[in-house]
Amino acid sequence: MIKRIFIILILLTFIPIAGFSQEDICKATLDKDRVRVGESVILSIVFYEAEDMPAPELPKIDGFDSKYLNSLQVMVKRGYMAVKAVKHRYVLFARKTGSLFIEPMTFEFDGRVFKTKKLKIEVLPGVLLESPKEAVPVEKKAKISEDRAFIVIKTEREDVYLNQQIKIEVRFYVNKKKISLTDVEYPFLLHSNFSAGEFSRPKRIKETLKEEFYDVLIFENVLFPTKTGKFVLGPAKIKCQLLTKKEKAVLGRVSGAITEAEYEYVKSPVEFTSPVLTIKVKDFPKAGRPLSFSDVIGNFNFDAEVTPTETKVGGILTLTMKMTGSGNFNMITAPGVIADNFKIYQSEVETTENAKIFKQILMPEKSGVLIIDKINFSFFNPETESYREITRGPFRINVFKAPEALPEAGLPARVTPRETAPYSLKEDLGKDIVYIKDLPGIITKKGDYLYNNKLFIIAQALPFAVFFSIFLVQRRRKRLKTDEKYARYIRAFKRARGSLNKAKTLLHPKRGEQFYALIFETLQTYIGDKFYIPAGGMTIKSIDEIARSNRLDEKIVKLLKQCFSEHDKAVFIPSEFDRREMVKLFKNVSYVINLIQRQKR
C-alpha cells in the first residue's frame, strides 16, 4: 500500500513538469479561423521567457501576404505559474481560396529554438467573377431601371487613419409602385484591405427622390482598414427575386374578366450592384508617438485599481484595468504590468459595447510595502490628430506576514519540567472521597454514539451535495460566458419566447410593418442561435443547406419555407396588411420553433 502511494506521488510530481515541454515555449494563434479573399487575420506568436526577443521575420506563407503589426510585453499563464513573455503580432492578407495551412515555423534566439504548431484557416471567395464565354451558362438575370430599384454605399468619411472604424450603410431603394421583390438577401460587400463584421438587421424608412417614393432598406456595418494607401470599397451587391404577375393557363376558361385567382407570381433572379467608393488610409504620425503605443485608435478613458490594498503573504489581489470611450476596441490589449515580488497571472478579458475590462490576479511573495509600477495606456485620437498617454499608479500594497499556526484547542500548553523536589508524605485531603450523584442525568444505551447514527451519517453527505451543486452552477455560468456556441444554443428558446410575446402585441394591421420585422428577426435569431450560424443574410434559399447540415425533419423544412415566403409576400408585395395573415404567420412561427426545440432538445 505504501509503495503504491509513493508511486502515485512521484507521478503527480513529474506529470505537470512533463507538460512544460519544449513545444510550449512558443505558441501561435489566429484571431479567427475563417476569412474571405482580401480580408485580413491577425497572427499572434507568444515566446515564453524571451521578453527581449525582437520581432522575427516570417517565412513566406502560402496563400497569404504578411505585415508586421506590433509587439507586446505580456504575462501569460504557463501551467500553474505566470511567466514573462513577448507577443509579436502580424497581419496576414488572404490571397487565394481553400482550406489553407500555416506550416510550423522555427525561430532561434539567444541559443534557444522556438517552434510553432501547424494552423488551419478557411479562406472563402471574396467576390463573384464574371463567367468566361467557355464556362457553363448561368441563369439570365432581369435588368431593372434605377427608377424602380437601386443600391448605394454611404460612409461617414472617406479619409481615415489605419485601424480607424468607419460606419457604412448599404441602402436598397425599392419603388413598390413599379416593382415587386422577394427573397432579399443581405448585401455582399467587397472590402479588400478592410476588416468588417456582419451587417445588422435592416432598418426600414421611406424616402422621396426625384418625385418618386421609395421604401428603403438600410444595412449597417462597421469596418476598419488594415493597410495604408488608397483602396476601393465595394461594390456592394444584393440578390433577390423579381415577382412577375402572369396569367394562369386554365383549360376551358371562357373569355371575359380574369379574377385574381387566375393569376400567379413567377420568380426570376435579379442582382443589384452599387457604385464603388475610394477610401484614403493614412498611417499614424511618427512625431510624439509614445513607447507604449500599440496601434490603438479612438478616444478613450483609462482607469486602474487594485483591491484590496492590504493583504498577507500569499493573499489574492485583483488588478482591474478598464478602458471606456469610443473607437476600435479590437486593437486594445492588456497593458504590461511590472510588479517585483509578485506572482502575476494571465489576465481575463471582458468586452461590452463601450468598454473593455482586464482583470489580473497578483499574489505577493514577501511581506512589507510592495509596489506595483505605474501602468501606461496610449492611443491616437483621430479627431485631434494627436497621441495621448494615460498613466495610473504606482500602487502601494501593505503585505503582512502570514500568521503562525496556533496550538490546537484542547491541547495543554507546554510545561517546563520542575526541579526535583524531595519526596513528601503530605496527604491531599478529600482525594479518596467518591461523591454520590443525586440525579442520574440522561441515560443512554451503551455504545450509542452520534457517529453510529444513520441520520448523522447521511447528513455528512449534505455539504458535499451542496458543494457539488454550486460547482455545477458555477461551471455552467462560466461556460455560458466563455462558450458562445453553447450560450446561444441554451438561450435560443428563451429569447424566442420573449420576442414572440412582444410580437403578439403587434397583431394589428396598423402595426403590420413592425410585426413582420420582429417576427422575421425572431425566426432568424432563433435558427442562428440554435445551430450556431450567422443570423444575418438568412433567406428561404439557405433553409435547405441548414436542414441538411442539422438533419431537420421535412415537416420543419416545409414550415420554415412557408414562414419565409409569407413574410416576403407581405413585406415586398404592395398591399395592405391583413390581420388574418398576420395571425397565421404568428402561429406558424411559434409552432415551427416548438418543433425544432423538441427535435434538438
Side-chain angles (χ1 to χ4, degrees):
M1 182 66 181
I2 296 176
K3 186 177 179 181
R4 290 182 180 177
I5 295 174
F6 181 71
I7 293 173
I8 291 172
L9 289 175
I10 291 176
L11 290 175
L12 291 176
T13 302
F14 288 100
I15 285 175
I17 296 175
F20 301 147
S21 60
Q22 281 296 105
E23 64 182 11
D24 287 333
I25 64 176
C26 177
K27 184 177 182 181
T29 57
L30 298 170
D31 67 336
K32 47 191 172 183
D33 57 6
R34 179 177 293 182
V35 294
R36 291 186 178 275
V37 170
E39 293 183 348
S40 63
V41 58
I42 295 178
L43 169 67
S44 299
I45 307 178
V46 179
F47 297 90
Y48 298 107
E49 299 178 353
E51 59 270 22
D52 297 328
M53 181 177 180
E57 184 176 351
L58 295 183
K60 187 175 181 180
I61 302 175
D62 183 36
F64 293 91
D65 293 337
S66 63
K67 175 187 174 184
Y68 171 74
L69 181 59
N70 58 21
S71 296
L72 302 168
Q73 298 290 333
V74 295
M75 296 295 297
V76 295
K77 191 174 181 182
R78 189 179 177 201
Y80 302 108
M81 300 294 294
V83 298
K84 292 183 179 180
V86 62
K87 179 191 288 186
H88 296 300
R89 303 169 71 203
Y90 303 83
V91 181
L92 305 182
F93 301 95
R95 296 308 180 204
K96 71 176 185 180
T97 61
S99 294
L100 305 183
F101 293 92
I102 300 176
E103 298 296 334
M105 296 175 283
T106 303
F107 308 98
E108 293 184 6
F109 173 72
D110 198 20
R112 300 168 65 191
V113 178
F114 301 87
K115 187 174 181 180
T116 65
K117 293 183 178 180
K118 191 175 184 179
L119 300 176
K120 181 181 179 181
I121 183 169
E122 188 78 18
V123 182
L124 305 176
V127 62
L128 299 176
L129 301 176
E130 293 294 333
S131 301
K133 292 181 180 180
E134 53 268 28
V136 178
V138 297
E139 188 176 3
K140 187 176 180 181
K141 296 180 174 63
K143 294 184 178 180
I144 308 298
S145 59
E146 288 194 359
D147 64 324
R148 300 170 70 191
F150 62 95
I151 63 174
V152 295
I153 305 175
K154 290 191 175 183
T155 180
E156 55 185 355
R157 57 176 64 89
E158 297 181 6
D159 190 354
V160 298
Y161 282 95
L162 180 68
N163 297 332
Q164 184 178 358
Q165 289 186 325
I166 317 168
K167 292 183 179 178
I168 66 164
E169 294 179 350
V170 176
R171 296 195 169 203
F172 186 24
Y173 290 81
V174 179
N175 189 334
K176 284 191 174 182
K177 292 183 179 179
K178 296 183 177 181
I179 192 171
S180 296
L181 300 172
T182 187
D183 296 347
V184 178
E185 299 182 8
Y186 274 61
F188 171 80
L189 176 67
L190 182 62
H191 55 277
S192 297
N193 303 309
F194 291 86
S195 179
E198 294 183 3
F199 279 98
S200 63
R201 187 179 68 86
K203 299 178 181 177
R204 289 178 170 83
I205 64 171
K206 296 184 182 295
E207 194 172 325
T208 303
L209 295 175
K210 298 179 182 180
E211 298 182 352
E212 294 284 351
F213 294 97
Y214 292 91
D215 287 83
V216 187
L217 294 178
I218 303 176
F219 301 89
E220 295 179 335
N221 204 342
V222 177
L223 48 80
F224 62 90
T226 56
K227 294 177 67 175
T228 56
K230 282 188 177 181
F231 304 109
V232 173
L233 181 62
K237 296 185 178 183
I238 292 181
K239 294 180 180 181
C240 54
Q241 298 288 329
L242 174 66
L243 291 177
T244 306
K245 195 174 182 181
K246 290 188 177 181
E247 179 183 345
K248 289 183 180 179
V250 181
L251 295 176
R253 179 173 58 82
V254 297
S255 59
I258 303 175
T259 63
E260 184 67 23
E262 297 178 11
Y263 282 106
E264 63 178 350
Y265 287 96
V266 178
K267 293 182 180 181
S268 56
V270 62
E271 182 178 86
F272 297 89
T273 304
S274 74
V276 299
L277 294 178
T278 301
I279 306 294
K280 181 181 178 182
V281 184
K282 300 177 290 185
D283 199 357
F284 300 110
K286 295 182 179 179
R289 182 181 298 186
L291 293 176
S292 61
F293 181 68
S294 58
D295 293 352
V296 178
I297 185 168
N299 187 12
F300 302 98
N301 292 317
F302 173 56
D303 291 308
E305 66 172 349
V306 180
T307 55
T309 56
E310 293 185 353
T311 186
K312 61 183 179 180
V313 175
I316 300 298
L317 301 175
T318 302
L319 170 61
T320 303
M321 298 171 285
K322 184 176 182 180
M323 295 78 168
T324 58
S326 59
N328 192 347
F329 283 92
N330 295 304
M331 302 305 298
I332 296 178
T333 56
V337 178
I338 300 175
D340 294 333
N341 301 312
F342 284 91
K343 289 181 181 178
I344 305 177
Y345 295 89
Q346 189 172 8
S347 60
E348 294 183 356
V349 186
E350 179 183 348
T351 304
T352 60
E353 185 177 358
N354 293 312
K356 197 164 189 177
I357 303 169
F358 297 91
K359 290 187 178 181
Q360 200 144 23
I361 300 298
L362 297 91
M363 183 182 297
E365 296 180 308
K366 62 177 288 188
S367 60
V369 179
L370 304 185
I371 303 297
I372 299 174
D373 290 352
K374 58 185 180 181
I375 303 171
N376 298 317
F377 170 68
S378 59
F379 58 88
F380 181 77
N381 190 332
E383 302 299 329
T384 61
E385 297 188 333
S386 62
Y387 294 98
R388 184 185 176 193
E389 185 174 45
I390 304 175
T391 302
R392 295 289 181 259
F395 304 93
R396 298 169 62 89
I397 309 297
N398 294 323
V399 183
F400 306 104
K401 289 184 178 180
E404 295 182 0
L406 297 175
E408 296 183 12
L411 294 179
R414 185 177 179 183
V415 181
T416 57
R418 295 181 296 177
E419 295 182 0
T420 307
Y423 180 76
S424 176
L425 295 175
K426 186 178 178 180
E427 182 180 1
D428 294 330
L429 297 177
K431 187 177 180 180
D432 56 347
I433 298 176
V434 178
Y435 295 91
I436 300 174
K437 289 185 178 181
D438 296 332
L439 296 174
I442 301 174
I443 299 174
T444 59
K445 185 179 178 181
K446 186 177 180 181
D448 188 15
Y449 298 109
L450 181 61
Y451 59 79
N452 289 329
N453 190 301
K454 292 182 179 180
L455 291 178
F456 176 77
I457 295 173
I458 294 173
Q460 302 314 300
L462 185 60
F464 294 99
V466 172
F467 173 79
F468 188 67
S469 300
I470 295 173
F471 169 75
L472 291 178
V473 171
Q474 289 298 109
R475 184 180 177 185
R476 186 174 185 270
R477 287 180 178 177
K478 185 177 181 180
R479 189 177 179 188
L480 288 173
K481 287 182 179 180
T482 57
D483 190 340
E484 182 186 1
K485 181 177 180 180
Y486 176 75
R488 289 180 64 182
Y489 181 85
I490 292 297
R491 294 170 179 163
F493 188 61
K494 184 178 180 181
R495 291 176 61 182
R497 283 193 304 178
S499 298
L500 287 172
N501 290 335
K502 186 176 179 181
K504 195 173 183 179
T505 64
L506 303 175
L507 286 170
H508 192 280
K510 292 183 179 180
R511 307 182 73 178
E513 189 170 335
Q514 300 176 37
F515 168 78
Y516 281 104
L518 179 59
I519 203 74
F520 188 60
E521 179 190 6
T522 300
L523 189 56
Q524 278 187 316
T525 304
Y526 175 78
I527 295 173
D529 290 345
K530 202 68 179 175
F531 304 120
Y532 195 57
I533 56 177
M538 193 183 301
T539 64
I540 195 171
K541 285 185 175 181
S542 56
I543 291 176
D544 289 327
E545 178 61 29
I546 296 171
R548 280 195 300 270
S549 57
N550 295 280
R551 299 178 181 179
L552 294 180
D553 293 339
E554 291 185 6
K555 182 179 180 181
I556 294 176
V557 176
K558 185 178 180 181
L559 276 172
L560 283 174
K561 289 183 176 180
Q562 184 179 342
C563 291
F564 274 75
S565 179
E566 289 175 1
H567 166 267
D568 292 344
K569 184 178 179 181
V571 172
F572 297 107
I573 298 178
S575 63
E576 295 293 330
F577 294 115
D578 187 346
R579 189 178 188 281
R580 289 176 298 178
E581 294 296 326
M582 293 168 67
V583 172
K584 179 183 175 182
L585 178 60
F586 177 83
K587 290 181 178 179
N588 284 341
V589 170
S590 301
Y591 182 53
V592 75
I593 287 177
N594 284 320
L595 285 179
I596 296 174
Q597 188 67 20
R598 286 198 292 268
Q599 181 180 339
K600 293 297 177 179
R601 180 172 296 174

